[in-house]
């Protein structure tokens, strides 16, 4: 592997990364406030900064999440000289919000550093070193990153200060060393297993803002490298996990609606700024407490391939797989995600683990999004497990439910609900008070009210939006459709009886005009597809219009342990294995597994971020780093019992390749070579065999092949009157026939009282008889 330079490795922090925007800002201020400004990244950044700079910076002071964003906008416009911004920076402190406001104060501090007076610098130093500020503060993942990155950069700025760290007081070099170690730990953990605030529409922006501060201002190249590696992971997830302005679930920590104007989730401002998603008007009042301004002033840009993916300038369709662990920086997975993107639509779902004692009430599990001009273009579904929903089921807040599971393959999905009569975890876990009250026997989905609706046969119904067609089948009789518009949505319900267990579900299939022509042709095709439901086993099978057979079996939660929540899902007889082999990130352009991140920059160039050690290395490698490709798959085989059989596969791809063979979906211990040889086979070895090939750049799985074992059949015994003769010529005395009397060519069996002709001679013996050829 050729060693290359870090993508961003200045010898010291940049002087003013926002300076190149200044010549354009005055122009932006006079643009029509009613029209959206899309254009390039730079033009959107100018719009954002001009918007912030058009509002006066307030007087210093206040509490809560302070409006440092306005100060940053003014500093950008004035090259750091804004007197009002500097006064605000020196006089406001953190107002009790060290998490959010230290992050923004650090950005403003470095932007204004050449123009701060001695008194202003001393005021900022006094705020930062106050004993009320603990720079080992934890909180959730975004809190830790914000606090630790800010503490590191403040200590770098004030190298002779002393700081509170837990119960200790540390000098600046020691604090920087401690926080560098902590930041490296969290970044390496995310490379290994993902992170729990996965694409959080609320908090993703704080993750990346912390890293952009470090990347722009840290003097230590190792700290800049860990920041850039973290940014590459997060921006890859955003590019692959977005469709237009919709950041696709599963995600965590959000309960609102994402619309075209990006007035809901803060993550939408990031995807708008980076890739032009949405239709943000120039008159938008940007929330000054959100550090979107950081990205308008930084020189860092994601690699171009991420721009192409996010802007949908790559080959379609494609599937991306991702995962996230449970909060606490452990590697135990609790969401395994599949996102399928077509040119016109995307469908995304997760196999989602519920942990009864966890902070898990704002996580979404499923969505369909599509292309078009309407404000809202998403379908969501859920069961209202969190109790404030009982009074207002129309709010659609707190969507996480442990009684909803989905199997998803490309453009089709099966979703099942098994809602008990009583909450088995009542009173347990964080936010348990929001689950007080009876269980709600209700599964529901919502679709935008502007869509055309058609009721079909057998509880199918169809909604269309231009060239995108969606079929939805409700699996339980008694469902109702709520015609009222709910914040721009209509609602489909499948509702049971209070106090009784309710089993129900939905089937989804998405098609397009390019495939089917008219909505009527799509409806006719979908209604003809076979559906089978077994409520005893909670199993549903569906053969979709592409000819794929999906079989999904619900797996009930018991206590949340990892072996009790993974459903059985098969596509065309192949088991989808939601196990330890599920990738942290996998797509046609990216992979992240075993702490090795790969991003294909082009046909002959790959960016490699290797975090297998304590700190990452980032390099650009020439040559094509290829995932495994199966050149010669295994074939069906037949073996005789007791014999041997060999199954083999030929695969190409960047070495080293690793192999794992499976029988009936279960890994075979020790079967880790390209060839699998079984000796002394028996009927227990018969079944369906697959092999999975992996390298650092991806995974390939073979189709199932059948091994048939033919048992050795014992030779047909010689018989006389239907009774066997043993190898010595004696009748089996367990079936004693009686005394036999020979008479020439005839014998008489006494108990049968019957003469039988045989052309041989028989010799009588006591208790048996013998056959003499």
């Amino acid at each position: 592997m050729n060693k290359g330079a870090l993508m961003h490795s200045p010898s010291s922090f940049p002087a003013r990364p926002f300076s190149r925007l200044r010549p354009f800002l005055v122009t932006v201020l006079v643009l029509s406030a009613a029209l959206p400004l899309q254009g390039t990244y730079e033009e959107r950044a100018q719009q954002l900064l001009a918007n912030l700079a058009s509002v006066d910076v307030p007087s210093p002071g206040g509490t809560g999440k302070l409006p440092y964003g306005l100060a940053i906008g003014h500093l950008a416009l004035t090259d750091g000289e804004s007197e009002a911004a500097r006064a605000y920076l020196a006089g406001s402190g953190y107002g009790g919000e060290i998490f959010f406001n230290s992050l923004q104060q650090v950005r403003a501090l470095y932007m204004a550093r050449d123009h701060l007076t001695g008194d202003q610098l001393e005021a900022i130093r006094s705020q930062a070193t106050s004993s009320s500020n603990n720079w080992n503060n934890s909180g959730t993942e975004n809190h830790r990153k914000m606090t630790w990155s800010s503490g590191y950069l403040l200590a770098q700025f004030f190298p002779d200060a002393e700081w509170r760290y837990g119960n200790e007081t540390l000098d600046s070099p020691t604090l920087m060393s401690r926080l560098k170690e902590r930041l490296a730990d969290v970044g390496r953990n995310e490379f290994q297993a993902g992170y729990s605030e996965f694409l959080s529409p609320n908090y993703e922006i704080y993750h990346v803002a912390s890293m952009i501060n470090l990347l722009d201002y840290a003097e230590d190249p190792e700290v800049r490298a860990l920041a850039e590696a973290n940014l590459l992971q997060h921006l890859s997830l955003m590019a692959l996990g977005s469709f237009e302005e919709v950041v696709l679930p599963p995600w965590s920590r959000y309960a609102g609606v994402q619309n075209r104007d990006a007035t809901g989730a803060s993550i939408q401002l990031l995807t708008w700024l980076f890739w032009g998603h949405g239709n943000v008007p120039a008159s938008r009042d940007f929330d000054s407490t959100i550090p979107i301004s950081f990205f308008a002033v930084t020189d860092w840009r994601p690699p171009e391939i991420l721009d192409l993916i996010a802007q949908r300038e790559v080959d379609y369709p494609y599937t991306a797989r991702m995962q996230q662990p449970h909060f606490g920086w452990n590697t135990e997975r609790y969401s395994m995600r599949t996102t399928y993107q077509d040119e016109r639509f995307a469908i995304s779902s997760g196999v989602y683990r519920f942990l009864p004692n966890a902070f898990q009430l704002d996580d979404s599990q499923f969505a369909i999004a599509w292309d078009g001009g309407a404000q809202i273009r998403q379908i969501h579904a859920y069961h209202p497990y969190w109790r404030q929903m009982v009074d207002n089921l129309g709010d659609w807040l707190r969507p996480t439910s442990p009684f909803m599971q989905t199997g998803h393959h490309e453009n089709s999905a099966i979703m099942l609900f098994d809602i008990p009569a009583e909450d088995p975890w009542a009173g347990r876990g964080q936010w348990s008070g929001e689950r007080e009250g009876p269980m709600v026997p209700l599964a529901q989905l919502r679709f935008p009210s502007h869509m055309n609706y058609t009721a079909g046969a057998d509880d199918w119904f169809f909604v269309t939006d231009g060239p995108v067609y969606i079929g939805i089948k409700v699996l339980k009789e008694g469902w109702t459709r709520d015609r009222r518009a709910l914040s721009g949505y209509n609602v489909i319900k499948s509702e049971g009886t209070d106090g009784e267990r309710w089993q129900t579900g939905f089937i989804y299939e998405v098609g397009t005009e390019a495939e089917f022509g008219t909505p009527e042709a799509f409806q006719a095709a979908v209604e003809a597809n076979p559906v089978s439901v077994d409520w005893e086993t909670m199993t549903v099978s569906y053969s979709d219009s592409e000819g794929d057979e999906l079989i999904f079996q619900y797996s009930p939660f018991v206590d949340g342990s990892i072996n009790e929540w993974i459903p059985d899902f098969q596509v065309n007889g192949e088991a989808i294995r939601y196990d330890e082999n599920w990738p942290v990130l996998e797509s046609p352009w990216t992979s992240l597994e075993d702490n090795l991140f790969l991003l294909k920059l082009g046909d002959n160039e790959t960016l490699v971020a290797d975090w297998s050690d304590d700190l990452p290395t980032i390099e650009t490698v020439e040559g094509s780093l290829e995932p495994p490709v199966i050149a010669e798959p295994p074939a069906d085989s037949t073996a005789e019992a007791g014999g041997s059989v060999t199954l083999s596969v030929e695969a190409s791809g960047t070495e080293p390749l690793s192999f794992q063979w499976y029988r009936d979906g279960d890994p075979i211990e020790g079967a880790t070579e390209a060839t699998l040889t079984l000796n002394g086979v028996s009927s227990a070895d018969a079944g369906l065999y697959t092999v999975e090939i992996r390298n650092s750049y991806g995974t390939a799985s073979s189709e199932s092949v059948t091994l048939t074992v033919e048992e050795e059949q014992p030779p047909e015994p010689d018989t006389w009157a239907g009774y066997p003769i043993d190898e010595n010529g004696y009748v089996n005395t367990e079936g004693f026939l009686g005394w036999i009397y020979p008479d020439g060519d005839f014998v008489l069996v006494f108990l049968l009282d019957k003469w039988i002709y045989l052309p041989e001679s028989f010799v009588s013996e006591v208790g048996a008889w013998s056959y003499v050829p």
Side-chain angles (χ1 to χ4, degrees):
M1 196 175 282
N2 299 322
K3 295 295 180 183
L6 293 175
M7 291 184 66
H8 185 92
S9 54
S11 58
S12 62
F13 46 77
R16 272 177 286 274
F18 51 89
S19 58
R20 64 177 176 169
L21 295 171
R22 189 182 178 196
F24 304 96
L25 293 176
V26 176
T27 303
V28 174
L29 285 170
V30 299
L31 290 174
S32 169
L35 297 175
L37 175 60
Q38 298 303 101
T40 65
Y41 183 107
E42 284 70 23
E43 289 171 326
R44 293 188 294 272
Q46 294 156 26
Q47 172 189 337
L48 189 153
L49 291 173
N51 184 293
L52 291 173
S54 68
V55 179
D56 290 339
V57 179
S59 300
T63 60
K65 301 174 184 177
L66 305 178
Y68 277 108
L70 298 177
I72 292 171
H74 280 259
L75 290 170
L77 182 63
T78 63
D79 243 4
E81 296 182 10
S82 169
E83 183 176 348
R86 287 185 286 114
Y88 186 87
L89 171 63
S92 294
Y94 305 125
E97 289 281 0
I98 185 176
F99 299 136
F100 302 99
N101 290 314
S102 67
L103 184 72
Q104 299 183 93
Q105 189 195 47
V106 161
R107 171 60 63 165
L109 172 64
Y110 276 83
M111 291 175 71
R113 63 181 175 268
D114 294 339
H115 305 286
L116 292 165
T117 68
D119 288 344
Q120 288 172 332
L121 285 169
E122 185 54 38
I124 296 168
R125 174 190 174 111
S126 177
Q127 297 161 15
T129 57
S130 168
S131 60
S132 64
N133 296 331
N134 183 351
W135 296 103
N136 189 34
N137 208 318
S138 55
T140 61
E141 285 169 324
N142 70 87
H143 291 166
R144 299 181 190 194
K145 285 185 180 178
M146 287 189 285
T147 304
W148 297 347
S149 64
S150 298
Y152 181 92
L153 291 173
L154 286 167
Q156 177 181 272
F157 198 95
F158 298 108
D160 58 348
E162 291 187 338
W163 312 85
R164 181 185 169 197
Y165 182 87
N167 295 323
E168 302 177 78
T169 299
L170 304 180
D171 60 20
S172 289
T174 305
L175 178 65
M176 291 171 66
S177 177
R178 294 274 187 94
L179 294 180
K180 175 182 176 180
E181 181 179 351
R182 311 249 16 210
L183 288 163
D185 284 346
V186 66
R188 187 174 188 274
N189 183 277
E190 289 186 4
F191 257 50
Q192 181 182 1
Y195 58 104
S196 67
E197 291 177 334
F198 182 88
L199 289 184
S200 169
N202 284 346
Y203 295 110
E204 176 72 12
I205 194 168
Y206 297 106
H207 283 259
V208 292
S210 301
M211 296 300 108
I212 209 70
N213 268 0
L214 288 173
L215 186 63
D216 281 346
Y217 297 124
E219 298 176 12
D220 184 344
E222 292 181 335
V223 173
R224 293 197 303 274
L226 73 84
E228 183 165 28
N230 201 273
L231 284 167
L232 288 168
Q233 179 184 8
H234 282 249
L235 267 293
S236 295
L237 292 174
M238 275 192 276
L240 291 162
S242 300
F243 188 87
E244 293 291 324
E245 77 281 357
V246 179
V247 178
L248 299 164
W251 32 244
S252 58
R253 308 294 305 281
Y254 182 66
V257 173
Q258 300 178 70
N259 60 36
R260 191 167 177 80
D261 285 347
T263 58
S266 61
I267 194 174
Q268 291 182 280
L269 295 179
L270 276 176
T271 61
W272 165 76
L273 179 58
F274 276 117
W275 301 309
H277 290 171
N279 196 32
V280 177
S283 59
R284 163 72 186 267
D285 182 14
F286 289 100
D287 185 347
S288 58
T289 69
I290 293 175
I292 185 63
S293 55
F294 293 18
F295 298 92
V297 297
T298 183
D299 282 337
W300 184 82
R301 299 289 184 271
E304 183 182 10
I305 183 60
L306 296 183
D307 296 344
L308 296 176
I309 294 169
Q311 292 165 354
R312 298 165 56 205
E313 297 178 11
V314 293
D315 291 335
Y316 284 87
Y318 71 84
T319 296
R321 299 192 300 167
M322 315 167 196
Q323 65 151 298
Q324 65 187 109
H326 180 249
F327 174 72
W329 294 2
N330 59 53
T331 59
E332 194 171 3
R333 298 153 194 212
Y334 87 114
S335 180
M336 299 182 211
R337 180 182 207 253
T338 303
T339 296
Y340 177 78
Q341 298 226 17
D342 189 82
E343 188 174 5
R344 288 288 190 174
F345 67 88
I347 179 169
S348 189
S349 70
V351 172
Y352 221 85
R353 179 185 183 197
F354 180 75
L355 300 170
N357 296 326
F359 183 91
Q360 203 175 340
L361 79 169
D362 284 333
D363 299 354
S364 183
Q365 298 166 249
F366 174 85
I368 302 171
W370 57 93
D371 200 1
Q375 271 289 88
I376 301 174
R377 291 170 291 125
Q378 310 129 52
I379 285 177
H380 302 103
Y382 88 121
H383 158 245
Y385 177 57
W386 300 88
R387 294 306 186 215
Q388 85 276 9
M389 298 299 298
V390 174
D391 295 329
N392 189 359
L393 295 177
D395 283 344
W396 283 74
L397 300 176
R398 312 302 197 201
T400 313
S401 175
F403 308 113
M404 165 184 171
Q405 294 178 2
T406 304
H408 161 211
H409 173 68
E410 296 183 349
N411 64 317
S412 300
I414 299 173
M415 178 182 294
L416 291 176
F417 301 80
D418 190 2
I419 304 166
E422 297 180 357
D423 184 358
W425 302 296
R428 287 178 59 182
Q430 299 186 52
W431 306 97
S432 61
E434 298 197 28
R435 301 203 310 264
E436 294 175 354
M439 289 293 292
V440 181
L442 172 66
Q444 55 186 355
L445 64 88
R446 61 180 178 178
F447 64 93
S449 54
H450 74 271
M451 299 184 77
N452 293 321
Y453 162 80
T454 300
D458 299 323
D459 292 334
W460 277 102
F461 73 91
F462 298 87
V463 292
T464 63
D465 188 356
V468 178
Y469 314 146
I470 303 172
I472 304 170
K473 180 177 176 62
V474 183
L475 294 176
K476 209 62 174 284
E477 293 181 1
W479 65 276
T480 61
R481 179 168 182 267
D482 189 340
R483 287 292 299 172
R484 62 192 167 90
L486 171 66
S487 301
Y489 287 97
N490 284 333
V491 179
I492 303 292
K493 302 178 185 178
S494 178
E495 193 166 9
T497 302
D498 289 345
E500 296 181 5
R501 177 187 182 189
W502 182 237
Q503 298 167 290
T504 188
F506 305 112
I507 294 175
Y508 305 86
E509 183 171 339
V510 187
T512 63
E513 182 181 45
E515 296 175 277
F516 293 93
T518 65
E520 292 77 16
F522 173 73
Q523 178 175 340
V526 169
E527 288 180 337
N529 293 333
V531 177
S532 174
V533 182
D534 184 342
W535 293 115
E536 290 294 323
T537 62
M538 285 291 288
T539 302
V540 173
S541 67
Y542 174 63
S543 295
D544 67 17
S545 302
E546 301 291 329
D548 294 320
E549 183 184 29
L550 284 63
I551 302 176
F552 185 75
Q553 183 175 22
Y554 186 98
S555 177
F557 289 80
V558 178
D559 61 4
S561 66
I562 199 164
N563 294 324
E564 295 172 332
W565 62 282
I566 296 178
D568 182 2
F569 183 40
Q570 297 181 34
V571 178
N572 298 327
E574 299 290 331
I576 305 300
R577 294 188 291 272
Y578 301 104
D579 58 18
E580 66 277 1
N581 291 318
W582 198 265
V584 179
L585 172 61
E586 178 185 87
S587 78
W589 308 274
T590 57
S591 70
L592 177 54
E593 196 70 20
D594 298 327
N595 290 89
L596 185 66
F597 171 85
L598 297 151
L599 177 63
K600 286 187 176 182
L601 303 178
D603 291 339
N604 202 40
E605 195 174 37
T606 302
L607 187 150
V608 180
D610 186 348
W611 211 324
S612 54
D613 293 328
D614 292 339
L615 289 161
T617 60
I618 304 174
E619 59 182 337
T620 298
V621 177
E622 292 184 359
S624 180
L625 304 181
E626 296 296 339
V629 175
I630 295 176
E632 188 68 35
D636 292 340
S637 297
T638 300
E640 292 186 0
S644 299
V645 66
T646 296
L647 301 175
S648 63
V649 64
E650 293 182 13
S652 61
T654 302
E655 298 287 346
L657 299 175
S658 64
F659 300 83
Q660 177 62 62
W661 289 86
Y662 294 82
R663 179 174 54 247
D664 296 332
D666 297 323
I668 304 171
E669 185 176 356
T672 57
E673 302 292 337
T675 298
L676 172 64
T677 299
L678 302 174
N679 296 313
V681 297
S682 67
S683 58
D685 295 307
L688 297 177
Y689 283 74
T690 57
V691 60
E692 184 176 76
I693 306 101
R694 299 167 63 85
N695 65 9
S696 297
Y697 317 115
T699 304
S701 296
S702 71
E703 297 290 331
S704 291
V705 297
T706 301
L707 173 61
T708 302
V709 177
E710 295 181 344
E711 294 289 344
E712 184 176 357
Q713 298 295 324
E716 286 291 329
D718 294 328
T719 60
W720 182 75
Y723 292 89
I725 304 170
D726 67 21
E727 61 186 5
N728 296 315
Y730 290 90
V731 170
N732 182 350
T733 56
E734 293 180 1
F736 180 55
L737 302 180
W739 292 108
I740 298 172
Y741 302 93
D743 182 15
D745 289 334
F746 292 87
V747 295
L748 175 65
V749 181
F750 178 71
L751 292 182
L752 293 180
D753 193 23
K754 183 176 181 181
W755 286 96
I756 299 173
Y757 170 78
L758 287 176
E760 295 90 2
S761 299
F762 288 84
V763 177
S764 177
E765 295 186 5
V766 177
W769 64 281
S770 64
Y771 166 59
V772 181

